[in-house]
Amino acid sequence: MSDRMDVEAQEREIQRRWHQAHAARFDAEADKPELSWRDRYMSPHADEARPFLDALRRSRDLHAFQSGTAKWVRSFSSGYAGTAGQMIINQITKMSPDPDASVTVLLDALTTPADLLDAMRKIRVLADHLQHIRVGAHPSPKRAPFVASYYWGLDAPGAWPVAWPKSTDYVEYCTGSPGDEDQGERYAELYSFAMEVDGDPLRFEQVAAWWADGRPVVMHESLCDRARLREGANKRADDPALYLANARALVAAAHHIGGTLEVEVAEAAGRTLKAQKPAVMWDAVWPRGDVWIDWRVPGRFGLAVRVWLNGRGLAIGLRPYPDGEARGTERAVEVIEASRLPGYEILAGGASRIGKDVGFVGGGSGEVVYARWFDRAALQALDFRAEVLQTARDVAPLIASLNGDVPSNQEHDALADAAAEFKATTGYPTPGHDQDNADRRDFAKLLDPDELEIVDRAELRRIWNTGRYGGTGPMSSLNTSLRDADEAEYHRIIQTFSYLCWGADAPATRIDRVLEEEDLRVKGFGESVIMKMLAITQPEQFITVYPYTGPKGKLRMLKLLGIPAPTASSRGELQVASNDALRARLDRFFPGDALGVGAFLYWYAERDELPVVQPVLDPLDDLAEELLVDRSFLDDVVALLEDKKQIVLYGPPGTGKTYFARKLAEVLVPDAARRPIVQFHPSTSYEDFFEGYRPETDAEGVMTYRLQRGPLADLAARASDAPGRRHLMIIDEINRANLPKVLGEMLFLFEYRNTPVRTLYRPDDPFELSKDIWFIGTMNTADRSIALVDAALRRRFHFIPFFPNHGPMAGLLDRWLERQGEPAWVGEIVAQVNDELEQELGGPHLQLGPSHFMKRGLDKGVLRRIWEYDIEPFIEDQFFGDPARIARFRFTQVWARFSELAAESIGEDTVLDQAAGLETVG
């Protein structure tokens, strides 16, 4: 008994020190607002919970309680509105065969307990009730601690820690707790940790949330104490069960550190490496006492970057054990001796007769590690992450040598240049790709074997309905399969998903069975979603190119890279073989980065699709000549586009804004598919421009609604598939629409590119606007002054004036008339009238644009028709109700004024035309 008490006391002290190491990092690093999340969101609404419970006691109306609380938790950032909280209340209300019994259980469970024993009882009663009414996977008894303790935390936050999912995960990480099936015990473990190990439940939950969100890597001397706790136990004939929690905590730390650093270690080593953690048990009897973390070469059991910790300290280095090789350790040592690294030494492990003894046990006969050694006293100041990454860089050549890699002394790899170009032009990895990787981790949690049984269907559909971590295209059939499945069929579908992701068979076998076998096949569950699930759960192997055939499929990617197509017979074998070939070819450029491989391949395929054109030394020179503007003006416009990514050309009608925008777009984006034109009008909506639900009829004639992309969402998807490629949208008459209503979240995204936000119709699918998309808007100032444009929109666009008598457009008509050999006096008369209009109207916004008059064969008769049928209606609109001013700008009066002032110009043209046998003025 004393041995057990002593070990348990040491265990709690180690937990306290391990937690305090994280809390210290939290205090030093966390970006903490003045008020905590709880103080900002929960505390102001705490008193609102009590009336719901009081009303339930009086009325015992379960439906009223459910509807009231559902609306309440959605009215603020409650943290309770999802599947772990309010969803359970909803399921109880919907599924309970005896609502009055459910009311009794809920009133008891949600009322603040008297003490911990009472809290454990309440949670057990609620968990038992959830199990009793459960159909299939719902509602899950595992949610009981959170459902109940949330209400307790509202009522007495300093006395009752909330069993937030993040808090529960953190406690299991710190203690190695396996997540007891007794839900009362699970809460008791969290309660004891928050109240005894930390002492402040509110601070505890802040640290836990910071850990869960930021995934910090902490290395601390208390882990050495864990290893030391186990030393000599078997010689003392202790009970092995005393040390099981200790071993689980060591392995939990290894699992977290390995997974968190996997991508970074692979990148540092320049090759894909897979994180591995040790088993909890050394053998059938004894829990382990040391701990290691491996980042292994795929397919090689013993070749890895290794961290190995025991009671004395920590080794960071190379595990060079060649799998199953005779004299493998000796051969590895020979390779190491030929390429010694400063500061590294051969350390013995297990029964090895080679290397320095630093106290490692286990690991198999004859194993060594080539590593730098850090005594436990050095761990306090050790930058653990930096040391691990430096080690990965140091030992990378040794890994290549021991793995038998071909030396890279061949001719230059052209793909290296392409990969460098991809990273330079796209800025990879972008914040959007970081979000994709974060979403992959979230999706992986949904597909975890334990979570799959209880995950909500809507949550599961996010995996293929969103474009995060690679899109799969519309999956209406699969959505229907999940929506219409009864509990038995849904359970079968979940078993299929679980087998695909976690089955013991080889991946190709699992793919084939899911596609072909009746008991596993699910309608709509095709190769794209199958491969996406495998990419989510096994990112160390599967890339984010999901189809095998088609313009975006693996077969085409193989052809682009010059890799022979696989000769395998089944679809599963073809998918896996082509995936592995692509991954192997590109791994050196994107080590450990499946998303990077996929993004590069899509970019490379798009680049291959571009038409081959003869190089133009400077297309803007030709464009300036064609548009009759200064080259410096075009340079300014392009520079403004590069700056904010969006401009507006504004001015009166007929000044050539749309023509200019189209011609510039053709030069900047030669591919017409990447430069769409849309025109706004008063009825244009957010759904028209971005995306919205549209009705459609299915095969049975039933009306349904489908989320349909508008031109902007479509262009964003094109840009996502072709990172680094410029895309440009022209928005004609941009000021005619209700811009804040039409643009919605785009107003934010215009300024903050590559920043994911949740849009109106995609609350679960963050959308981003690529920096590769540019916008040119045109604005007719005769309809609406620039001064009336929303200030937020004005700040996000550069506005470029297009006025006939001012700036770069001044003299444009004169230049055109001269180039086309048309009479110069036409330009003079238009310039005179524009000066008069500017004086009459107090500004240039309602002048006559040159495009009205840019026609061949100009003479007085042609000019009169243009004036009477194009110009005079415009004049009548501007001077409505003022007949005298309208009359002043009738053609007859304008001609009279002009012919008197410019008779010489008219006369010269008349003489020239008559000499040519033409009478143009009369």
Side-chain angles (χ1 to χ4, degrees):
M1 186 68 173
S2 59
D3 288 344
R4 177 174 297 279
M5 293 178 61
D6 182 57
V7 170
E8 289 178 352
Q10 293 183 67
E11 172 69 30
R12 188 57 101 192
E13 175 60 17
I14 292 172
Q15 289 177 9
R16 185 191 65 77
R17 294 177 59 217
W18 183 230
H19 169 64
Q20 289 304 324
H22 288 76
R25 282 277 295 274
F26 167 75
D27 290 335
E29 297 179 2
D31 184 15
K32 298 184 284 292
E34 186 175 341
L35 292 176
S36 68
W37 183 90
R38 177 186 281 273
D39 290 333
R40 281 182 291 156
Y41 298 116
M42 283 186 66
S43 297
H45 298 273
D47 292 337
E48 298 168 5
R50 195 172 295 107
F52 288 109
L53 292 174
D54 292 341
L56 183 61
R57 286 191 186 92
R58 292 192 306 270
S59 68
R60 300 189 70 81
D61 187 337
L62 184 59
H63 285 277
F65 176 76
Q66 178 272 326
S67 60
T69 55
K71 184 177 180 180
W72 170 58
V73 297
R74 290 196 304 269
S75 68
F76 65 103
S77 296
S78 65
Y80 196 73
T83 57
Q86 184 65 31
M87 182 67 74
I88 300 299
I89 304 295
N90 298 346
Q91 290 168 347
I92 291 173
T93 305
K94 177 182 177 181
M95 301 166 65
S96 178
D98 184 351
D100 193 65
S102 293
V103 169
T104 300
V105 171
L106 282 176
L107 284 173
D108 176 53
L110 304 186
T111 302
T112 305
D115 52 32
L116 180 58
L117 288 177
D118 190 31
M120 295 169 68
R121 179 195 62 79
K122 288 174 179 285
I123 288 174
R124 285 173 177 143
V125 170
L126 177 58
D128 288 345
H129 185 69
L130 295 178
Q131 182 64 39
H132 175 68
I133 67 172
R134 185 177 186 180
V135 178
H138 303 285
S140 170
K142 290 184 177 181
R143 307 300 193 193
F146 176 54
V147 170
S149 65
Y150 182 87
Y151 278 79
W152 309 343
L154 285 172
D155 184 53
W160 294 104
V162 177
W164 300 101
K166 292 177 181 178
S167 296
T168 301
D169 288 347
Y170 178 67
V171 170
E172 291 177 2
Y173 156 73
C174 286
T175 64
S177 168
D180 202 307
E181 287 301 313
D182 184 326
Q183 302 307 314
E185 290 290 346
R186 284 185 73 211
Y187 182 74
E189 179 72 33
L190 182 140
Y191 177 90
S192 299
F193 194 95
M195 303 302 288
E196 298 171 13
V197 174
D198 186 291
D200 180 349
L202 302 186
R203 178 172 177 266
F204 155 73
E205 72 180 31
Q206 284 184 294
V207 174
W210 163 80
W211 173 84
D213 292 337
R215 297 182 62 80
V217 172
V218 175
M219 179 54 63
H220 189 257
E221 192 177 357
S222 57
L223 286 182
C224 293
D225 290 331
R226 282 204 171 279
R228 180 170 287 179
L229 182 65
R230 164 70 176 77
E231 287 180 4
N234 51 342
K235 294 180 181 178
R236 294 192 300 269
D238 289 350
D239 181 359
L242 292 175
Y243 302 97
L244 186 58
N246 181 63
R248 284 175 175 157
L250 284 169
V251 172
H255 179 63
H256 171 75
I257 294 170
T260 300
L261 292 183
E262 183 177 77
V263 172
E264 292 178 72
V265 172
E267 189 173 90
R271 66 187 309 136
T272 294
L273 298 172
K274 174 62 177 172
Q276 299 286 339
K277 69 179 189 296
V280 171
M281 303 297 292
W282 258 341
D283 53 36
V285 177
W286 281 99
R288 73 178 314 106
D290 65 344
V291 69
W292 51 258
I293 310 158
D294 276 358
W295 292 276
R296 294 181 186 170
V297 175
R300 298 296 302 272
F301 171 78
L303 188 55
V305 175
R306 167 164 282 200
V307 170
W308 204 347
L309 175 143
N310 63 16
R312 301 185 197 179
L314 178 75
I316 308 176
L318 168 71
R319 183 194 188 198
Y321 188 66
D323 311 339
E325 240 181 77
R327 296 187 66 257
T329 298
E330 288 80 357
R331 190 185 76 81
V333 169
E334 290 171 4
V335 173
I336 291 169
E337 292 287 1
S339 304
R340 279 282 186 174
L341 296 171
Y344 288 76
E345 54 189 332
I346 296 173
L347 306 178
S352 174
R353 298 181 299 275
I354 304 172
K356 178 180 177 181
D357 179 10
V358 291
F360 288 132
V361 289
S365 175
E367 183 166 5
V368 299
V369 59
Y370 185 53
R372 291 178 294 154
W373 174 257
F374 301 89
D375 286 324
R376 57 178 293 154
L379 300 190
Q380 180 91 12
L382 184 69
D383 187 340
F384 176 71
R385 181 192 295 261
E387 296 293 350
V388 170
L389 298 183
Q390 183 58 54
T391 296
R393 287 187 284 269
D394 290 345
V395 303
L398 288 172
I399 291 177
S401 180
L402 289 167
N403 198 45
D405 295 348
V406 177
S408 56
N409 55 2
Q410 305 166 350
E411 62 184 56
H412 179 70
D413 188 345
L415 278 182
D417 295 334
E421 180 187 351
F422 164 75
K423 293 175 181 177
T425 57
T426 65
Y428 185 87
T430 67
H433 289 111
D434 292 339
Q435 179 67 46
D436 270 320
N437 278 314
D439 287 329
R440 187 205 65 77
R441 291 192 293 270
D442 289 341
F443 292 153
K445 290 178 183 177
L446 297 178
L447 293 172
D448 182 89
D450 293 333
E451 287 296 314
L452 257 177
E453 287 292 332
I454 59 176
V455 69
D456 185 72
R457 299 188 194 199
E459 286 288 296
L460 199 57
R461 288 196 296 267
R462 287 179 51 223
I463 291 172
W464 55 84
N465 285 341
T466 68
R468 308 310 306 182
Y469 205 66
T472 61
M475 290 292 147
S476 56
S477 294
L478 183 55
N479 288 333
T480 302
S481 294
L482 257 73
R483 182 195 67 194
D484 296 343
D486 59 21
E487 287 299 329
E489 173 63 10
Y490 182 70
H491 179 71
R492 189 187 72 83
I493 292 173
I494 291 302
Q495 291 302 307
T496 294
F497 292 170
S498 181
Y499 169 73
L500 172 74
C501 296
W502 311 109
D505 295 329
T509 302
R510 283 180 270 152
I511 295 168
D512 288 332
R513 290 191 62 196
V514 167
L515 287 173
E516 297 169 5
E517 294 187 10
E518 187 65 33
D519 61 332
L520 289 171
R521 194 165 59 237
V522 177
K523 184 179 180 181
F525 190 39
E527 288 184 40
S528 289
V529 183
I530 286 172
M531 298 312 299
K532 182 170 185 177
M533 284 190 177
L534 288 173
I536 288 167
T537 54
Q538 299 173 47
E540 74 284 353
Q541 179 176 1
F542 291 102
I543 64 176
T544 56
V545 177
Y546 302 137
Y548 179 69
T549 57
K552 305 292 186 183
K554 296 185 181 73
L555 189 59
R556 177 162 185 259
M557 304 304 183
L558 291 170
K559 183 178 179 181
L560 289 175
L561 300 188
I563 301 172
T567 57
S569 56
S570 74
R571 295 299 290 186
E573 291 171 349
L574 289 171
Q575 279 280 9
V576 173
S578 58
N579 174 90
D580 292 350
L582 291 168
R583 185 71 184 257
R585 180 69 179 89
L586 296 172
D587 187 63
R588 58 177 291 213
F589 309 119
F590 303 95
D593 185 5
L595 184 63
V597 171
F600 170 77
L601 285 170
Y602 283 130
W603 173 87
Y604 197 69
E606 288 282 337
R607 187 178 74 163
D608 183 69
E609 290 174 356
L610 291 177
V612 178
V613 296
Q614 294 300 320
V616 178
L617 292 180
D618 196 339
L620 289 181
D621 272 342
D622 293 341
L623 182 62
E625 183 177 346
E626 179 183 355
L627 297 177
L628 295 169
V629 297
D630 289 340
R631 167 58 194 267
S632 60
F633 173 60
L634 290 181
D635 288 338
D636 286 345
V637 173
V638 173
L640 293 173
L641 276 168
E642 289 173 340
D643 178 31
K644 288 190 176 181
K645 316 300 181 190
Q646 49 260 347
I647 62 172
V648 168
L649 313 178
Y650 73 99
T655 46
K657 301 179 294 296
T658 302
Y659 183 82
F660 179 94
R662 290 178 60 191
K663 287 295 183 180
L664 179 60
E666 289 173 8
V667 169
L668 296 177
V669 184
D671 184 356
R674 296 197 181 100
R675 48 178 167 85
I677 301 176
V678 298
Q679 186 174 52
F680 280 3
H681 51 79
S683 297
T684 301
S685 67
Y686 175 93
E687 290 77 8
D688 295 326
F689 180 55
F690 181 50
E691 67 180 1
Y693 281 95
R694 294 287 185 268
E696 64 177 20
T697 304
D698 63 18
E700 286 76 32
V702 177
M703 180 75 76
T704 59
Y705 287 85
R706 180 170 63 89
L707 186 61
Q708 185 170 321
R709 293 194 305 218
L712 180 55
D714 186 63
L715 187 64
R718 289 175 179 270
S720 177
D721 286 344
R725 301 285 179 211
R726 183 182 297 151
H727 297 66
L728 191 150
M729 174 178 281
I730 296 174
I731 307 176
D732 200 33
E733 305 285 6
I734 190 172
N735 57 312
R736 285 184 174 270
N738 182 340
L739 291 179
K741 182 177 180 181
V742 171
L743 297 178
E745 306 91 356
M746 300 310 111
L747 199 59
F748 171 86
L749 292 171
F750 280 150
E751 183 168 6
Y752 300 101
R753 298 300 186 94
N754 290 114
T755 301
V757 300
R758 301 185 185 275
T759 59
L760 179 61
Y761 295 111
R762 299 195 216 183
D764 298 320
D765 181 16
F767 173 82
E768 65 191 60
L769 195 60
S770 168
K771 62 182 177 62
D772 298 329
I773 302 177
W774 291 1
F775 295 87
I776 300 179
T778 68
M779 176 177 170
N780 184 349
T781 52
D783 298 323
R784 186 184 189 193
S785 168
I786 188 176
L788 300 179
V789 176
D790 182 273
L793 184 72
R794 290 184 64 183
R795 182 167 62 82
R796 287 163 168 81
F797 283 75
H798 286 299
F799 282 76
I800 300 173
F802 270 55
F803 295 110
N805 285 13
H806 303 279
M809 296 297 108
L812 175 64
L813 180 57
D814 295 334
R815 296 191 291 274
W816 185 88
L817 293 169
E818 180 182 2
R819 185 171 71 182
Q820 300 300 326
E822 297 295 331
W825 55 263
V826 175
E828 295 177 22
I829 193 171
V830 174
Q832 173 186 311
V833 172
N834 276 334
D835 285 341
E836 293 171 348
L837 285 170
E838 186 171 358
Q839 293 174 9
E840 288 280 346
L841 297 167
H845 294 285
L846 299 173
Q847 294 181 330
L848 308 181
S851 62
H852 294 294
F853 309 98
M854 297 170 78
K855 303 179 184 296
R856 297 293 185 90
L858 287 171
D859 58 20
K860 181 183 178 183
V862 173
L863 182 63
R864 176 187 60 78
R865 286 193 294 274
I866 294 172
W867 207 274
E868 290 180 354
Y869 295 104
D870 292 346
I871 305 304
E872 288 185 10
F874 171 73
I875 296 294
E876 289 167 1
D877 283 343
Q878 309 316 313
F879 296 116
F880 181 78
D882 192 344
R885 296 171 85 186
I886 292 173
R888 184 167 184 266
F889 290 98
R890 297 287 185 191
F891 179 75
T892 53
Q893 291 199 31
V894 168
W895 182 260
R897 291 196 304 276
F898 181 77
S899 59
E900 180 181 340
L901 293 171
E904 184 177 345
S905 295
I906 297 173
E908 289 177 357
D909 281 347
T910 302
V911 170
L912 291 172
D913 289 339
Q914 287 174 340
L918 299 170
E919 184 172 349
T920 60
V921 179

